[in-house]
Amino acid sequence: QVQLVESGGGLQQAGGSLSLSCAASGSIFSIQIMAWYRQAPGEQRELVATLPTNGRALYADSVKGRFTISRDNAKNTSYLRMNSLKPEDTAVYYCNANIWTSGGSNLRNYWGQGTQVTVSS
């Protein structure tokens, strides 16, 4: 079994910063891609940032220049540093990953449980 557990959400004022972490655990062979999504009330879930194992990070236009995704492959952990926060960044943030298990024979997509980020004006 594989689990993704997010941490680091909370309440912040506009212009402030928050950092999120996502730790993957379980029978992991390797992690192909790690990403962050968010879902605001009444809205569809949207991609925030994605980072493949050996590739460049990609960001939604709405967060470019403000958010930074990174990962520690040895710890199977990804991070999302959020600077210059805006009220419109308020959402539940979800960690997502494509993970190889079973010795590299099975590739599945996994979601974390989500962590709330609230930005006040």
Side-chain angles (χ1 to χ4, degrees), residues 10 12 24 30-31 54 60 72 87 100 119:
Q12 181 60 272
S30 66
I31 300 179
N54 297 304
D72 184 333
W100 289 98
V119 183

Side-chain angles (χ1 to χ4, degrees), residues 16-83:
S17 299
L18 281 174
S19 291
L20 305 181
S21 299
C22 170
S25 63
S27 302
I28 297 170
F29 179 76
S30 66
I31 300 179
Q32 185 188 59
I33 297 173
M34 300 195 83
W36 289 91
Y37 287 73
R38 68 185 181 187
Q39 188 168 18
E43 302 289 334
Q44 289 191 335
R45 193 171 297 189
E46 63 174 358
L47 177 65
V48 175
T50 183
L51 181 60
T53 301
N54 297 304
R56 291 170 48 187
L58 294 175
Y59 298 93
D61 287 343
S62 58
V63 307
K64 277 181 185 176
R66 299 188 299 120
F67 289 13
T68 302
I69 186 172
S70 60
R71 56 190 285 182
D72 184 333
N73 293 326
K75 296 181 178 180
N76 290 329
T77 299
S78 72
Y79 307 92
L80 186 68
R81 176 66 175 176
M82 304 181 292
N83 296 327

